């Protein structure tokens, strides 16, 4: 059986910074398996494999703009807001998360927001990790008791009926 984690990004950064970072390739940014802060090193490896290293960050973000995903990029008043959410399945391409991690890491000096990987309940290990971006730093924390977060993210991606049979 395969597991899944929701990738959940809310990020605001200066539009000039987004314009600078979007054409850079994921592989140009040093993101290794320990970047996420998982206890289980195999999770970090799954989310940082080199599959998307030749993909630009902008192209990776565009991959979230499709069915069963949330992928919006909006600009207002010199700031760009990115909202991404998608269930990344072990059997799919969980390494797309590395491109989003590269964006967060490279923009930490001017961005604010949050990036999370949240266990959808199918992985027997940890519930997830959260990286908060504020004041030029990244603060990492382990997520505990992810059930409610999963319901909220699932409803955002799949519609209000997600998890209704659980409630």
């Amino acid at each position: 059986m395969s597991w899944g984690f929701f990738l959940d990004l809310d990020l605001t950064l200066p539009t000039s910074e987004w314009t600078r970072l979007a054409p850079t390739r994921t592989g140009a940014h040093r993101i290794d398996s320990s970047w996420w802060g998982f206890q289980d090193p195999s999770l970090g490896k799954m989310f940082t494999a080199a599959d998307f290293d030749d993909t630009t960050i902008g192209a990776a973000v565009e991959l979230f703009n499709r069915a069963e995903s949330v992928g919006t990029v909006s600009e207002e008043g010199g700031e760009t807001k990115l909202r991404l959410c998608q269930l990344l399945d072990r059997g799919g391409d969980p390494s797309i998360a590395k491109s989003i991690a590269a964006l967060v890491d490279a923009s930490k000096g001017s961005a604010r927001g949050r990036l999370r990987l949240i266990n959808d309940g199918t992985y027997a290990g940890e519930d997830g990790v959260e990286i908060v971006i504020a004041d030029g730093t990244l603060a990492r924390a382990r997520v505990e008791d992810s059930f409610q977060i999963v319901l909220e993210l699932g409803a955002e991606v799949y519609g209000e009926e997600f998890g209704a049979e659980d409630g």
Side-chain angles (χ1 to χ4, degrees):
M1 178 179 224
S2 189
W3 51 251
F5 277 71
F6 280 98
L7 181 142
D8 174 33
L9 174 75
D10 277 307
L11 186 72
T12 302
L13 68 162
T15 297
S16 60
E17 185 72 350
W18 169 243
T19 302
R20 182 183 73 79
L21 290 172
T24 66
R25 299 206 180 282
T26 298
H29 304 276
R30 294 181 187 259
I31 303 296
D32 65 18
S33 61
S34 67
W35 188 89
W36 294 100
F38 282 110
Q39 288 177 319
D40 181 349
S42 68
L43 285 175
K45 289 177 185 172
M46 291 292 290
F47 292 113
T48 57
D51 302 334
F52 289 88
D53 278 4
D54 289 334
T55 304
T56 66
I57 289 174
V61 166
E62 287 177 25
L63 292 173
F64 287 84
N65 188 13
R66 60 189 181 84
E68 296 190 353
S69 184
V70 174
T72 60
V73 178
S74 58
E75 193 274 329
E76 185 179 323
E79 288 193 324
T80 297
K81 180 169 177 50
L82 293 97
R83 174 68 185 124
L84 307 177
C85 189
Q86 181 177 324
L87 183 61
L88 303 179
D89 184 272
R90 180 180 183 180
D93 289 320
S95 57
I96 188 73
K98 182 178 183 182
S99 298
I100 308 310
L103 167 62
V104 166
D105 195 73
S107 67
K108 68 184 172 199
S110 61
R112 63 189 182 282
R114 164 183 81 200
L115 172 61
R116 300 186 294 187
L117 286 174
I118 305 293
N119 182 351
D120 73 346
T122 57
Y123 176 72
E126 48 199 298
D127 282 0
V129 293
E130 176 179 60
I131 296 98
V132 175
I133 310 102
D135 301 322
T137 63
L138 302 177
R140 290 170 178 80
R142 287 187 172 76
V143 172
E144 302 287 333
D145 197 19
S146 62
F147 181 73
Q148 188 60 41
I149 298 168
V150 168
L151 290 178
E152 292 166 8
L153 296 176
E156 184 178 2
V157 172
Y158 300 108
E160 293 299 322
E161 69 280 352
F162 180 84
E165 65 278 358
D166 297 329

